[in-house]
Amino acid sequence: MELVTPGIGLLFWQTVTFLIVLFLLGKFAWKPIMNALHEREASIENALSAAEKAKLEIQALKADNEKLLAEARLERDRILKEATEAANSIVEASKQKANEEGARMIAQARESIENEKRAAITEVKNMAASLSLEIAEQILRRELSDKTAQQALAQDYIREVTLN
């Protein structure tokens, strides 16, 4: 049974050795291990805070991008509206100018037609007058070809003049 029960000397030396190893580990190994653990913990905390900060910056950038996108859309809509209004005003101006030009051309055509009509009426009157003179001349020549007809006509004119 001696193998199972340890001796007092062995227990003493095991305790002394354990305390020496514990002292040496505490003096030389425990502090560097703890410092390394603290540094590792600090670096993990720094990395987490940097990740959180980056996440917040990304959210801020997303919000800025959305804002810029909305502004760009508004600007695009404004430019399209202005272009449409400009096109409409140009079309309206062109229509109005075409209407005015058409009205002016119609007025000129009417005036030209009226002038041509007056000229034609004047020419017809002149032709009628000259035809009337020619007819009257021919009638008078025929009637006044003999002397007795001339005297009768003169007597008729004298009677008409005295009656009036």
Side-chain angles (χ1 to χ4, degrees), residues 74-137:
L74 289 174
E75 183 70 17
R76 179 198 66 198
D77 291 342
R78 184 187 61 80
I79 290 171
L80 285 174
K81 182 180 177 186
E82 287 177 1
T84 304
E85 289 174 357
N88 288 341
S89 67
I90 289 171
V91 167
E92 275 301 314
S94 296
K95 282 182 183 178
Q96 185 177 3
K97 187 175 180 181
N99 288 340
E100 289 173 359
E101 185 68 21
R104 186 184 62 79
M105 290 174 74
I106 289 171
Q108 283 180 345
R110 284 185 179 152
E111 185 177 330
S112 175
I113 290 170
E114 190 65 33
N115 288 338
E116 291 293 324
K117 181 180 167 184
R118 284 186 194 137
I121 289 173
T122 304
E123 190 172 334
V124 166
K125 284 181 181 179
N126 288 339
M127 286 176 67
S130 67
L131 283 175
S132 296
L133 285 175
E134 284 181 26
I135 291 171
E137 183 180 340

